[in-house]
Amino acid sequence: MFGSRRSKKTSIAYSETSQSDSTTSPSSPNGIMDRGGINFPQSPSGLMTSSQRRLSAGLVTSQRRLSASSSSQYTQSILAGFFSLGSNNDDKGSSYCGSLHFSLRYDFPRQILAITIIEAKDLLAMDRGGTSDPYVKMNLLPDKKKKLETKVVFKKLNPTWNETLFFNGYPHDKLQKRVLHMVVLDYDKFSRDDPIGEINIPLCEVDFAHPLQMWRELNPISKEKYRRGEIMITLTYNPLTGILTVTIVKARDLKPMDISGTSDPYVKVYNMYQTKRLQKVKTTTKYQTLNPVFDENFSFTIPTHKLEDTQIVVTVMDKDLIKWNEKIGARTLT
């Protein structure tokens, strides 16, 4: 999962077992008393001398300090910086996103546009396993209220749907003023779905006298179009204690979700092992801001051998007192 960089910032708290102040100490079979890992000759009375007690106390204290220092120096900084919200695959860099096979048919008497999504080829791999969970969403621009979508096909880069969707109540003259917008997305259960590519077809250029069937290449989607803002996160891990500390520092340039042009953001953090959600925590809410500062720490106990299959999912939400809270964006750290 995580690479590592040595950090000197994080200190690790440690606990000590209180030691007895008694001047007596267990005797070994050889008549040598053991105190803090140091052997002292036993006096005739079986008690330590005052000088031996001072030396023993000093050595034990030094050992405790050394133990705490050793634990602290193994704390490792794993990640630190700003991460964009919304897509975990902004660094793909490829202009080819795949292609989509579909058909169009218009029923003139009933004023229905039927769109059959047949299949897709060579889609971008959006998941860490080298696959995607694609589905197709569509609407007729500039209308944005009515959106149709296909079922999700899991773990496929060459999915087959053979699914027909219908836009009802569109007279032919009205249809000529619309643009069919289709976007292929990668479904994500725990964060925002990632766009793979899109197609725009001006319907004024389509002859609906006969059914049409075509292949079209998907166009890359502009990052700015789906921009949701950025979040600053730091992760540190101590392999001796198995503690992963996630610090939600701040966010900037969040997408406004309220009518006032602002948002009321808070952050949910999920500790995922493989596909199972183990823990969920959240920050406080910062009201009426697009640049919130949190500075909140969360600690998760993760054994070293489980790090490879661990994911931290960070989701920024907008709190709403009247209706349900809305998702602003998400980021998965693997």
Side-chain angles (χ1 to χ4, degrees), residues 166-204:
F166 302 93
F167 285 99
N168 300 306
Y170 277 89
H172 185 259
D173 60 341
K174 180 180 179 180
L175 198 64
Q176 294 286 293
K177 300 176 183 177
R178 297 295 184 267
V179 174
L180 174 60
H181 176 245
M182 296 186 288
V183 57
V184 181
L185 299 112
D186 172 56
Y187 171 77
D188 196 314
K189 184 177 180 180
F190 298 103
S191 62
R192 181 176 173 271
D193 297 345
D194 296 322
I196 297 175
E198 65 181 351
I199 298 172
N200 289 298
I201 301 176
L203 295 181
C204 62

mmCIF file of all heavy atoms in Angstrom, residues 166-204:
data_model
loop_
_atom_site.group_PDB
_atom_site.id
_atom_site.type_symbol
_atom_site.label_atom_id
_atom_site.label_comp_id
_atom_site.label_asym_id
_atom_site.label_seq_id
_atom_site.Cartn_x
_atom_site.Cartn_y
_atom_site.Cartn_z
ATOM 1 N N PHE A 166 -34.898 5.123 -22.882
ATOM 2 C CA PHE A 166 -35.866 5.906 -23.657
ATOM 3 C C PHE A 166 -36.000 7.328 -23.121
ATOM 4 O O PHE A 166 -36.142 7.529 -21.911
ATOM 5 C CB PHE A 166 -37.238 5.222 -23.626
ATOM 6 C CG PHE A 166 -37.238 3.815 -24.161
ATOM 7 C CD1 PHE A 166 -37.075 2.731 -23.302
ATOM 8 C CD2 PHE A 166 -37.407 3.568 -25.509
ATOM 9 C CE1 PHE A 166 -37.071 1.432 -23.784
ATOM 10 C CE2 PHE A 166 -37.400 2.267 -26.010
ATOM 11 C CZ PHE A 166 -37.236 1.197 -25.147
ATOM 12 N N PHE A 167 -36.006 8.285 -24.041
ATOM 13 C CA PHE A 167 -36.388 9.665 -23.737
ATOM 14 C C PHE A 167 -37.771 9.887 -24.346
ATOM 15 O O PHE A 167 -37.934 9.884 -25.576
ATOM 16 C CB PHE A 167 -35.384 10.652 -24.328
ATOM 17 C CG PHE A 167 -34.085 10.717 -23.572
ATOM 18 C CD1 PHE A 167 -32.972 10.032 -24.011
ATOM 19 C CD2 PHE A 167 -33.992 11.465 -22.400
ATOM 20 C CE1 PHE A 167 -31.768 10.094 -23.319
ATOM 21 C CE2 PHE A 167 -32.796 11.536 -21.690
ATOM 22 C CZ PHE A 167 -31.683 10.839 -22.154
ATOM 23 N N ASN A 168 -38.754 10.098 -23.478
ATOM 24 C CA ASN A 168 -40.142 10.260 -23.927
ATOM 25 C C ASN A 168 -40.520 11.730 -24.052
ATOM 26 O O ASN A 168 -39.978 12.589 -23.349
ATOM 27 C CB ASN A 168 -41.104 9.576 -22.941
ATOM 28 C CG ASN A 168 -40.835 8.090 -22.801
ATOM 29 O OD1 ASN A 168 -40.802 7.365 -23.788
ATOM 30 N ND2 ASN A 168 -40.615 7.640 -21.565
ATOM 31 N N GLY A 169 -41.496 12.021 -24.903
ATOM 32 C CA GLY A 169 -42.070 13.356 -25.009
ATOM 33 C C GLY A 169 -41.192 14.374 -25.700
ATOM 34 O O GLY A 169 -41.192 15.548 -25.310
ATOM 35 N N TYR A 170 -40.477 13.946 -26.739
ATOM 36 C CA TYR A 170 -39.629 14.861 -27.498
ATOM 37 C C TYR A 170 -40.086 14.903 -28.963
ATOM 38 O O TYR A 170 -39.756 14.008 -29.747
ATOM 39 C CB TYR A 170 -38.157 14.419 -27.433
ATOM 40 C CG TYR A 170 -37.442 14.880 -26.188
ATOM 41 C CD1 TYR A 170 -37.454 14.093 -25.036
ATOM 42 C CD2 TYR A 170 -36.770 16.098 -26.156
ATOM 43 C CE1 TYR A 170 -36.808 14.511 -23.886
ATOM 44 C CE2 TYR A 170 -36.116 16.520 -25.007
ATOM 45 C CZ TYR A 170 -36.136 15.722 -23.877
ATOM 46 O OH TYR A 170 -35.495 16.142 -22.731
ATOM 47 N N PRO A 171 -40.893 15.916 -29.318
ATOM 48 C CA PRO A 171 -41.243 16.085 -30.730
ATOM 49 C C PRO A 171 -39.974 16.242 -31.571
ATOM 50 O O PRO A 171 -38.938 16.679 -31.062
ATOM 51 C CB PRO A 171 -42.083 17.364 -30.739
ATOM 52 C CG PRO A 171 -42.555 17.517 -29.330
ATOM 53 C CD PRO A 171 -41.481 16.934 -28.470
ATOM 54 N N HIS A 172 -40.075 15.912 -32.846
ATOM 55 C CA HIS A 172 -38.889 15.906 -33.693
ATOM 56 C C HIS A 172 -38.224 17.278 -33.756
ATOM 57 O O HIS A 172 -36.992 17.391 -33.722
ATOM 58 C CB HIS A 172 -39.250 15.421 -35.105
ATOM 59 C CG HIS A 172 -38.047 15.272 -35.993
ATOM 60 N ND1 HIS A 172 -37.708 16.226 -36.941
ATOM 61 C CD2 HIS A 172 -37.087 14.312 -36.050
ATOM 62 C CE1 HIS A 172 -36.596 15.851 -37.555
ATOM 63 N NE2 HIS A 172 -36.198 14.690 -37.033
ATOM 64 N N ASP A 173 -39.021 18.342 -33.860
ATOM 65 C CA ASP A 173 -38.432 19.688 -33.944
ATOM 66 C C ASP A 173 -37.714 20.065 -32.649
ATOM 67 O O ASP A 173 -36.689 20.762 -32.667
ATOM 68 C CB ASP A 173 -39.501 20.727 -34.293
ATOM 69 C CG ASP A 173 -40.624 20.787 -33.274
ATOM 70 O OD1 ASP A 173 -40.782 19.806 -32.510
ATOM 71 O OD2 ASP A 173 -41.353 21.796 -33.234
ATOM 72 N N LYS A 174 -38.224 19.593 -31.510
ATOM 73 C CA LYS A 174 -37.558 19.854 -30.227
ATOM 74 C C LYS A 174 -36.274 19.028 -30.127
ATOM 75 O O LYS A 174 -35.259 19.510 -29.612
ATOM 76 C CB LYS A 174 -38.501 19.511 -29.076
ATOM 77 C CG LYS A 174 -37.918 19.750 -27.689
ATOM 78 C CD LYS A 174 -38.928 19.389 -26.603
ATOM 79 C CE LYS A 174 -38.346 19.613 -25.228
ATOM 80 N NZ LYS A 174 -39.333 19.248 -24.163
ATOM 81 N N LEU A 175 -36.336 17.795 -30.626
ATOM 82 C CA LEU A 175 -35.178 16.910 -30.573
ATOM 83 C C LEU A 175 -34.013 17.472 -31.391
ATOM 84 O O LEU A 175 -32.845 17.284 -31.028
ATOM 85 C CB LEU A 175 -35.565 15.529 -31.091
ATOM 86 C CG LEU A 175 -34.642 14.359 -30.736
ATOM 87 C CD1 LEU A 175 -34.627 14.145 -29.226
ATOM 88 C CD2 LEU A 175 -35.080 13.100 -31.444
ATOM 89 N N GLN A 176 -34.349 18.169 -32.494
ATOM 90 C CA GLN A 176 -33.310 18.736 -33.347
ATOM 91 C C GLN A 176 -32.477 19.811 -32.638
ATOM 92 O O GLN A 176 -31.383 20.150 -33.080
ATOM 93 C CB GLN A 176 -33.949 19.345 -34.595
ATOM 94 C CG GLN A 176 -34.610 18.335 -35.535
ATOM 95 C CD GLN A 176 -33.586 17.530 -36.313
ATOM 96 O OE1 GLN A 176 -32.867 18.068 -37.147
ATOM 97 N NE2 GLN A 176 -33.498 16.244 -36.036
ATOM 98 N N LYS A 177 -33.000 20.337 -31.534
ATOM 99 C CA LYS A 177 -32.304 21.395 -30.786
ATOM 100 C C LYS A 177 -31.537 20.837 -29.578
ATOM 101 O O LYS A 177 -31.051 21.603 -28.753
ATOM 102 C CB LYS A 177 -33.315 22.437 -30.309
ATOM 103 C CG LYS A 177 -34.067 23.110 -31.445
ATOM 104 C CD LYS A 177 -35.132 24.053 -30.899
ATOM 105 C CE LYS A 177 -35.948 24.678 -32.030
ATOM 106 N NZ LYS A 177 -37.034 25.556 -31.508
ATOM 107 N N ARG A 178 -31.440 19.531 -29.493
ATOM 108 C CA ARG A 178 -30.779 18.913 -28.352
ATOM 109 C C ARG A 178 -29.457 18.257 -28.759
ATOM 110 O O ARG A 178 -29.249 17.908 -29.925
ATOM 111 C CB ARG A 178 -31.677 17.848 -27.697
ATOM 112 C CG ARG A 178 -32.978 18.422 -27.121
ATOM 113 C CD ARG A 178 -32.691 19.361 -25.977
ATOM 114 N NE ARG A 178 -33.904 19.858 -25.355
ATOM 115 C CZ ARG A 178 -34.519 20.991 -25.675
ATOM 116 N NH1 ARG A 178 -34.014 21.744 -26.650
ATOM 117 N NH2 ARG A 178 -35.594 21.382 -25.041
ATOM 118 N N VAL A 179 -28.574 18.096 -27.759
ATOM 119 C CA VAL A 179 -27.304 17.393 -27.939
ATOM 120 C C VAL A 179 -27.309 16.184 -27.015
ATOM 121 O O VAL A 179 -27.486 16.323 -25.800
ATOM 122 C CB VAL A 179 -26.095 18.300 -27.623
ATOM 123 C CG1 VAL A 179 -24.797 17.499 -27.685
ATOM 124 C CG2 VAL A 179 -26.044 19.481 -28.584
ATOM 125 N N LEU A 180 -27.147 15.019 -27.605
ATOM 126 C CA LEU A 180 -27.078 13.800 -26.799
ATOM 127 C C LEU A 180 -25.704 13.726 -26.139
ATOM 128 O O LEU A 180 -24.681 13.630 -26.825
ATOM 129 C CB LEU A 180 -27.318 12.573 -27.677
ATOM 130 C CG LEU A 180 -27.133 11.210 -26.996
ATOM 131 C CD1 LEU A 180 -28.086 11.036 -25.824
ATOM 132 C CD2 LEU A 180 -27.301 10.078 -28.012
ATOM 133 N N HIS A 181 -25.710 13.776 -24.838
ATOM 134 C CA HIS A 181 -24.467 13.715 -24.067
ATOM 135 C C HIS A 181 -24.411 12.380 -23.349
ATOM 136 O O HIS A 181 -25.279 12.049 -22.525
ATOM 137 C CB HIS A 181 -24.409 14.862 -23.047
ATOM 138 C CG HIS A 181 -23.205 14.807 -22.163
ATOM 139 N ND1 HIS A 181 -23.293 14.605 -20.796
ATOM 140 C CD2 HIS A 181 -21.875 14.894 -22.434
ATOM 141 C CE1 HIS A 181 -22.077 14.602 -20.271
ATOM 142 N NE2 HIS A 181 -21.207 14.762 -21.237
ATOM 143 N N MET A 182 -23.378 11.593 -23.653
ATOM 144 C CA MET A 182 -23.178 10.296 -23.011
ATOM 145 C C MET A 182 -21.800 10.278 -22.350
ATOM 146 O O MET A 182 -20.803 10.644 -22.981
ATOM 147 C CB MET A 182 -23.286 9.159 -24.030
ATOM 148 C CG MET A 182 -24.659 9.030 -24.651
ATOM 149 S SD MET A 182 -24.817 7.574 -25.732
ATOM 150 C CE MET A 182 -23.833 8.094 -27.127
ATOM 151 N N VAL A 183 -21.760 9.860 -21.109
ATOM 152 C CA VAL A 183 -20.498 9.774 -20.380
ATOM 153 C C VAL A 183 -20.367 8.380 -19.780
ATOM 154 O O VAL A 183 -21.333 7.841 -19.222
ATOM 155 C CB VAL A 183 -20.404 10.869 -19.280
ATOM 156 C CG1 VAL A 183 -21.567 10.780 -18.310
ATOM 157 C CG2 VAL A 183 -19.081 10.778 -18.544
ATOM 158 N N VAL A 184 -19.206 7.790 -19.947
ATOM 159 C CA VAL A 184 -18.913 6.491 -19.335
ATOM 160 C C VAL A 184 -18.183 6.755 -18.024
ATOM 161 O O VAL A 184 -17.181 7.478 -17.991
ATOM 162 C CB VAL A 184 -18.049 5.618 -20.265
ATOM 163 C CG1 VAL A 184 -17.776 4.265 -19.605
ATOM 164 C CG2 VAL A 184 -18.743 5.420 -21.610
ATOM 165 N N LEU A 185 -18.707 6.188 -16.941
ATOM 166 C CA LEU A 185 -18.133 6.389 -15.610
ATOM 167 C C LEU A 185 -17.724 5.071 -14.992
ATOM 168 O O LEU A 185 -18.257 4.008 -15.334
ATOM 169 C CB LEU A 185 -19.127 7.105 -14.693
ATOM 170 C CG LEU A 185 -19.563 8.501 -15.131
ATOM 171 C CD1 LEU A 185 -21.026 8.485 -15.523
ATOM 172 C CD2 LEU A 185 -19.317 9.517 -14.035
ATOM 173 N N ASP A 186 -16.795 5.157 -14.053
ATOM 174 C CA ASP A 186 -16.362 4.000 -13.271
ATOM 175 C C ASP A 186 -17.035 4.078 -11.911
ATOM 176 O O ASP A 186 -16.829 5.038 -11.156
ATOM 177 C CB ASP A 186 -14.844 3.996 -13.116
ATOM 178 C CG ASP A 186 -14.371 2.927 -12.142
ATOM 179 O OD1 ASP A 186 -14.698 1.748 -12.349
ATOM 180 O OD2 ASP A 186 -13.682 3.279 -11.162
ATOM 181 N N TYR A 187 -17.854 3.102 -11.605
ATOM 182 C CA TYR A 187 -18.582 3.076 -10.332
ATOM 183 C C TYR A 187 -17.626 2.840 -9.169
ATOM 184 O O TYR A 187 -16.730 2.000 -9.238
ATOM 185 C CB TYR A 187 -19.644 1.973 -10.361
ATOM 186 C CG TYR A 187 -20.302 1.710 -9.036
ATOM 187 C CD1 TYR A 187 -21.285 2.560 -8.539
ATOM 188 C CD2 TYR A 187 -19.945 0.602 -8.265
ATOM 189 C CE1 TYR A 187 -21.892 2.320 -7.315
ATOM 190 C CE2 TYR A 187 -20.545 0.346 -7.046
ATOM 191 C CZ TYR A 187 -21.510 1.217 -6.575
ATOM 192 O OH TYR A 187 -22.102 0.970 -5.359
ATOM 193 N N ASP A 188 -17.820 3.606 -8.100
ATOM 194 C CA ASP A 188 -17.023 3.447 -6.887
ATOM 195 C C ASP A 188 -17.962 3.434 -5.693
ATOM 196 O O ASP A 188 -18.722 4.378 -5.487
ATOM 197 C CB ASP A 188 -15.999 4.570 -6.752
ATOM 198 C CG ASP A 188 -14.913 4.253 -5.737
ATOM 199 O OD1 ASP A 188 -15.256 3.793 -4.633
ATOM 200 O OD2 ASP A 188 -13.731 4.459 -6.041
ATOM 201 N N LYS A 189 -17.906 2.369 -4.908
ATOM 202 C CA LYS A 189 -18.830 2.209 -3.791
ATOM 203 C C LYS A 189 -18.587 3.209 -2.678
ATOM 204 O O LYS A 189 -19.519 3.635 -1.998
ATOM 205 C CB LYS A 189 -18.717 0.785 -3.236
ATOM 206 C CG LYS A 189 -19.702 0.462 -2.124
ATOM 207 C CD LYS A 189 -19.583 -0.991 -1.686
ATOM 208 C CE LYS A 189 -20.566 -1.318 -0.574
ATOM 209 N NZ LYS A 189 -20.452 -2.735 -0.136
ATOM 210 N N PHE A 190 -17.332 3.620 -2.472
ATOM 211 C CA PHE A 190 -17.010 4.419 -1.295
ATOM 212 C C PHE A 190 -16.584 5.852 -1.611
ATOM 213 O O PHE A 190 -16.303 6.618 -0.702
ATOM 214 C CB PHE A 190 -15.905 3.729 -0.487
ATOM 215 C CG PHE A 190 -16.323 2.389 0.019
ATOM 216 C CD1 PHE A 190 -15.882 1.230 -0.586
ATOM 217 C CD2 PHE A 190 -17.184 2.282 1.096
ATOM 218 C CE1 PHE A 190 -16.267 -0.004 -0.121
ATOM 219 C CE2 PHE A 190 -17.575 1.053 1.575
ATOM 220 C CZ PHE A 190 -17.120 -0.104 0.963
ATOM 221 N N SER A 191 -16.503 6.208 -2.872
ATOM 222 C CA SER A 191 -16.172 7.584 -3.227
ATOM 223 C C SER A 191 -16.876 7.939 -4.522
ATOM 224 O O SER A 191 -17.617 7.134 -5.089
ATOM 225 C CB SER A 191 -14.652 7.769 -3.366
ATOM 226 O OG SER A 191 -14.152 6.952 -4.400
ATOM 227 N N ARG A 192 -16.644 9.149 -4.975
ATOM 228 C CA ARG A 192 -17.332 9.634 -6.164
ATOM 229 C C ARG A 192 -16.917 8.833 -7.389
ATOM 230 O O ARG A 192 -15.759 8.490 -7.568
ATOM 231 C CB ARG A 192 -17.005 11.123 -6.363
ATOM 232 C CG ARG A 192 -17.687 11.763 -7.549
ATOM 233 C CD ARG A 192 -17.369 13.249 -7.567
ATOM 234 N NE ARG A 192 -17.880 13.861 -8.781
ATOM 235 C CZ ARG A 192 -17.182 13.942 -9.914
ATOM 236 N NH1 ARG A 192 -15.955 13.468 -9.964
ATOM 237 N NH2 ARG A 192 -17.707 14.505 -10.981
ATOM 238 N N ASP A 193 -17.906 8.527 -8.262
ATOM 239 C CA ASP A 193 -17.618 7.782 -9.483
ATOM 240 C C ASP A 193 -16.695 8.597 -10.393
ATOM 241 O O ASP A 193 -16.861 9.809 -10.549
ATOM 242 C CB ASP A 193 -18.917 7.463 -10.224
ATOM 243 C CG ASP A 193 -19.835 6.567 -9.405
ATOM 244 O OD1 ASP A 193 -19.356 5.987 -8.420
ATOM 245 O OD2 ASP A 193 -21.032 6.456 -9.750
ATOM 246 N N ASP A 194 -15.719 7.912 -10.996
ATOM 247 C CA ASP A 194 -14.724 8.580 -11.827
ATOM 248 C C ASP A 194 -15.149 8.574 -13.293
ATOM 249 O O ASP A 194 -15.489 7.516 -13.840
ATOM 250 C CB ASP A 194 -13.369 7.884 -11.711
ATOM 251 C CG ASP A 194 -12.807 7.966 -10.311
ATOM 252 O OD1 ASP A 194 -12.988 9.015 -9.685
ATOM 253 O OD2 ASP A 194 -12.182 6.993 -9.856
ATOM 254 N N PRO A 195 -15.127 9.730 -13.975
ATOM 255 C CA PRO A 195 -15.448 9.760 -15.406
ATOM 256 C C PRO A 195 -14.325 9.159 -16.238
ATOM 257 O O PRO A 195 -13.146 9.422 -16.004
ATOM 258 C CB PRO A 195 -15.624 11.255 -15.696
ATOM 259 C CG PRO A 195 -14.795 11.942 -14.659
ATOM 260 C CD PRO A 195 -14.849 11.077 -13.433
ATOM 261 N N ILE A 196 -14.682 8.326 -17.192
ATOM 262 C CA ILE A 196 -13.701 7.718 -18.094
ATOM 263 C C ILE A 196 -13.609 8.503 -19.397
ATOM 264 O O ILE A 196 -12.520 8.798 -19.883
ATOM 265 C CB ILE A 196 -14.067 6.242 -18.374
ATOM 266 C CG1 ILE A 196 -14.009 5.434 -17.068
ATOM 267 C CG2 ILE A 196 -13.123 5.643 -19.418
ATOM 268 C CD1 ILE A 196 -14.465 3.991 -17.219
ATOM 269 N N GLY A 197 -14.747 8.843 -19.967
ATOM 270 C CA GLY A 197 -14.768 9.613 -21.212
ATOM 271 C C GLY A 197 -16.194 9.957 -21.595
ATOM 272 O O GLY A 197 -17.155 9.436 -21.014
ATOM 273 N N GLU A 198 -16.358 10.824 -22.584
ATOM 274 C CA GLU A 198 -17.694 11.294 -22.960
ATOM 275 C C GLU A 198 -17.837 11.432 -24.467
ATOM 276 O O GLU A 198 -16.846 11.483 -25.212
ATOM 277 C CB GLU A 198 -17.991 12.634 -22.284
ATOM 278 C CG GLU A 198 -17.105 13.765 -22.742
ATOM 279 C CD GLU A 198 -17.399 15.075 -22.037
ATOM 280 O OE1 GLU A 198 -18.409 15.167 -21.314
ATOM 281 O OE2 GLU A 198 -16.621 16.032 -22.236
ATOM 282 N N ILE A 199 -19.094 11.516 -24.910
ATOM 283 C CA ILE A 199 -19.433 11.724 -26.317
ATOM 284 C C ILE A 199 -20.568 12.737 -26.387
ATOM 285 O O ILE A 199 -21.530 12.657 -25.609
ATOM 286 C CB ILE A 199 -19.883 10.408 -26.994
ATOM 287 C CG1 ILE A 199 -18.761 9.376 -26.981
ATOM 288 C CG2 ILE A 199 -20.345 10.669 -28.424
ATOM 289 C CD1 ILE A 199 -19.205 8.005 -27.455
ATOM 290 N N ASN A 200 -20.469 13.688 -27.299
ATOM 291 C CA ASN A 200 -21.535 14.650 -27.554
ATOM 292 C C ASN A 200 -21.967 14.535 -29.007
ATOM 293 O O ASN A 200 -21.142 14.644 -29.921
ATOM 294 C CB ASN A 200 -21.065 16.077 -27.257
ATOM 295 C CG ASN A 200 -20.884 16.321 -25.774
ATOM 296 O OD1 ASN A 200 -21.829 16.232 -25.000
ATOM 297 N ND2 ASN A 200 -19.668 16.614 -25.354
ATOM 298 N N ILE A 201 -23.271 14.323 -29.239
ATOM 299 C CA ILE A 201 -23.798 14.172 -30.595
ATOM 300 C C ILE A 201 -24.913 15.195 -30.811
ATOM 301 O O ILE A 201 -26.009 15.056 -30.238
ATOM 302 C CB ILE A 201 -24.346 12.755 -30.830
ATOM 303 C CG1 ILE A 201 -23.245 11.723 -30.613
ATOM 304 C CG2 ILE A 201 -24.937 12.623 -32.239
ATOM 305 C CD1 ILE A 201 -23.713 10.297 -30.721
ATOM 306 N N PRO A 202 -24.683 16.245 -31.619
ATOM 307 C CA PRO A 202 -25.766 17.179 -31.969
ATOM 308 C C PRO A 202 -26.830 16.439 -32.774
ATOM 309 O O PRO A 202 -26.549 15.913 -33.860
ATOM 310 C CB PRO A 202 -25.052 18.250 -32.792
ATOM 311 C CG PRO A 202 -23.595 18.099 -32.467
ATOM 312 C CD PRO A 202 -23.401 16.637 -32.193
ATOM 313 N N LEU A 203 -28.038 16.365 -32.273
ATOM 314 C CA LEU A 203 -29.071 15.559 -32.927
ATOM 315 C C LEU A 203 -29.600 16.210 -34.202
ATOM 316 O O LEU A 203 -30.282 15.543 -34.992
ATOM 317 C CB LEU A 203 -30.210 15.292 -31.940
ATOM 318 C CG LEU A 203 -29.803 14.437 -30.728
ATOM 319 C CD1 LEU A 203 -30.990 14.185 -29.812
ATOM 320 C CD2 LEU A 203 -29.193 13.113 -31.168
ATOM 321 N N CYS A 204 -29.271 17.479 -34.440
ATOM 322 C CA CYS A 204 -29.653 18.122 -35.703
ATOM 323 C C CYS A 204 -28.878 17.520 -36.876
ATOM 324 O O CYS A 204 -29.271 17.678 -38.040
ATOM 325 C CB CYS A 204 -29.437 19.629 -35.635
ATOM 326 S SG CYS A 204 -27.711 20.103 -35.365
#
